[in-house]
Amino acid sequence: PRAILQWNVGSYKDISHESLSLFRLLEPQIEILVLGTGDRVERLHPAMLKQMRECGIAVEVQDTPNACATFNFLTSEKRMVAAGLIPP
């Protein structure tokens, strides 16, 4: 179901195993997580991405405006998707 949750992340540097745990707890389980890292695409630690893949969740990291567009597109395709967005 559609839901909006407060994600306690102020910048891409705050993205951690703990902050990503929110997305692993969602029911029904999501298949794709779109992360918007602000004005530009920022690299996340590979171990965090690997952990999400091991949970069956693909992660797409983009700048926030493109992440919003990707989220909307995937939602229109009825995909099980969530977005973690940091304002630009």
Side-chain angles (χ1 to χ4, degrees), residues 5-42:
L5 305 171
Q6 172 118 11
W7 189 34
N8 197 16
V9 171
S11 82
Y12 77 96
K13 294 175 185 174
D14 298 328
I15 298 174
S16 65
H17 291 290
E18 292 78 26
S19 67
L20 292 175
S21 67
L22 167 69
F23 301 102
R24 293 190 302 272
L25 298 173
L26 295 175
E27 287 292 332
Q29 182 176 350
I30 61 170
E31 57 183 294
I32 302 169
L33 171 60
V34 182
L35 291 176
T37 56
D39 287 324
R40 11 177 274 188
V41 178
E42 302 289 351

Side-chain angles (χ1 to χ4, degrees), residues 23-86:
F23 301 102
R24 293 190 302 272
L25 298 173
L26 295 175
E27 287 292 332
Q29 182 176 350
I30 61 170
E31 57 183 294
I32 302 169
L33 171 60
V34 182
L35 291 176
T37 56
D39 287 324
R40 11 177 274 188
V41 178
E42 302 289 351
R43 287 184 53 87
L44 299 182
H45 195 283
M48 286 190 287
L49 302 176
K50 181 181 179 200
Q51 180 186 34
M52 296 300 283
R53 279 194 311 272
E54 288 172 351
C55 293
I57 301 171
V59 179
E60 180 69 34
V61 181
Q62 300 178 339
D63 61 82
T64 299
N66 284 312
C68 290
T70 299
F71 174 80
N72 289 335
F73 176 77
L74 292 170
T75 300
S76 74
E77 289 190 331
K78 308 280 192 249
R79 303 289 297 271
M80 293 305 298
V81 61
L85 304 170
I86 299 168

